[in-house]
Amino acid sequence: MQQQQRQQQQQQHRPPPPGFGSRSTGNPAAPGTAGGPQQSAPSAHAPADTPAARPATSQQQQQSPQGCRPTPWFRPRPGLLPLLPVEIKWLQPQPEVGLLWDSTIADDPNQLKMVQDLISRALSTPLLPAQQQAVLTQLEADPKLVHYIGLSPQQLPALVEHTPLLAYELLLRLLRSRHIHAYFQVLAQMELSLHSMEVVNRLTAAAELPTEFVHLYITNCINSCEGIQDKYLQNRLVRLVCVFLQSLIRNRIINIAALLHEVQAFCINFSRVREAATLFRVLRQMELGGNGNGGSTGTEPGSSTGSASPGRGDSNSSMG
């Protein structure tokens, strides 16, 4: 009995649940007043003291979905990498200060302009000896100047015809350039002349030229001589080519065996020229193993070549 009385007292003093005694409009109404709903007895199925029936406290409101806070995510502190001996210098870096020497600090820009102007003039007209010497002096003072004068391979034939000495000096300084093959290609295919043979002859005596270039130039010389219609000019160029070939053979600059048949046919076609007959005898001697009697065995191209009087201008058999 006492336990039942104690439960009834606890139910009387328990606060009403939220929304108890309020109308549909939300206005509160005192329990037990007129017009207000009567307090209903607790259900027999629901327990008397449950968390759902208790009023929400401030701590519960903070943990509600509206006021929840994300749980902090903890991660371990990263470890330190091992210190290498080569990295110690970066603790106190010392800037490396060095001296850079500018080799062009004392150069006069007017000198380059002067050389460029003289080279441009040499493409259309021969230069005076003093002007050529001025260019050569600048080239000797600064070997790298040849790369800045602006001479293209297409301009080389004009320079060779008007100022062969400058053309030779420029080509000699461009031998180690990566563009030298383009200059050689143009030089080998240009029109045959005394100045072009003079430039090639000087180059072969001063440096070792590519074999392909020398063979191509010789073939071009032979074809040019065969295509000339003027007999006087043809004989003159044939003599120059023969002297040029004898100089290459004598100095062992080329291996004539690769062009033996072509050169022999050239000598036979121009057997009327004394220098061609002489070159033919030299080739026969080389073909027979260097026998000195090889030239007198009746192998000359034409029986009357040795006794024929030289044509007009044949006395000048040198290239100079």
Side-chain angles (χ1 to χ4, degrees), residues 54-301:
R54 296 177 184 176
T57 61
S58 61
Q59 184 178 3
Q60 292 176 350
Q61 292 178 357
Q62 292 179 0
Q63 295 179 356
S64 62
Q66 290 80 4
C68 67
R69 297 179 181 178
T71 305
W73 180 62
F74 298 98
R75 61 179 179 177
R77 181 179 298 177
L80 297 178
L81 296 176
L83 184 62
L84 300 178
V86 295
E87 298 176 346
I88 299 178
K89 64 179 182 179
W90 298 111
L91 296 177
Q92 295 179 355
Q94 299 293 335
E96 298 181 1
V97 179
L99 297 178
L100 298 178
W101 182 258
D102 187 4
S103 60
T104 62
I105 191 171
D107 292 348
D108 188 3
N110 295 328
Q111 298 296 333
L112 177 60
K113 180 64 175 176
M114 182 266 294
V115 174
Q116 290 177 343
D117 293 341
L118 290 178
I119 294 297
S120 299
R121 188 181 305 175
L123 298 178
S124 57
T125 182
L127 295 182
L128 298 177
Q131 295 174 336
Q132 298 183 26
Q133 187 61 37
V135 175
L136 295 179
T137 302
Q138 296 300 324
L139 292 177
E140 293 176 359
D142 186 6
K144 297 182 180 180
L145 187 64
V146 68
H147 302 285
Y148 303 101
I149 59 178
L151 180 66
S152 63
Q154 291 72 22
Q155 296 174 336
L156 181 62
L159 183 64
V160 169
E161 291 301 327
H162 294 96
T163 315
L165 178 60
L166 285 184
Y168 159 72
E169 294 292 341
L170 294 178
L171 289 175
L172 189 63
R173 287 167 172 79
L174 288 172
L175 286 178
R176 296 183 179 181
S177 174
R178 59 181 179 179
H179 305 292
I180 188 61
H181 296 286
Y183 291 94
F184 281 158
Q185 189 72 18
V186 174
L187 182 61
Q189 297 179 354
M190 68 175 294
E191 185 179 356
L192 178 62
S193 65
L194 172 62
H195 290 167
S196 66
M197 282 191 290
E198 178 183 355
V199 170
V200 176
N201 189 35
R202 289 189 176 186
L203 286 175
T204 54
E208 184 178 357
L209 301 183
T211 306
E212 297 80 4
F213 161 70
V214 178
H215 288 180
L216 181 61
Y217 183 77
I218 293 175
T219 302
N220 181 43
C221 292
I222 294 176
N223 295 335
S224 298
C225 291
E226 293 175 352
I228 296 177
Q229 302 298 329
D230 188 358
K231 294 299 181 180
Y232 169 73
L233 181 60
Q234 186 182 52
N235 292 339
R236 183 171 182 268
L237 291 179
V238 167
R239 288 194 300 270
L240 293 176
V241 171
C242 292
V243 174
F244 173 67
L245 291 177
Q246 290 183 37
S247 175
L248 296 180
I249 296 173
R250 181 171 56 252
N251 298 327
R252 298 183 178 181
I253 296 176
I254 62 171
N255 184 13
I256 198 60
L259 301 171
L260 181 61
H261 299 289
E262 186 176 1
V263 177
Q264 283 183 345
F266 169 75
C267 295
I268 294 175
N269 291 337
F270 299 98
S271 59
R272 64 181 181 275
V273 181
R274 183 176 56 186
E275 286 77 11
T278 304
L279 177 60
F280 186 83
R281 287 195 300 268
V282 172
L283 296 178
R284 290 294 297 173
Q285 291 176 2
M286 294 180 60
E287 190 177 6
L288 295 176
N291 187 5
N293 297 327
S296 60
T297 57
T299 58
E300 291 188 13

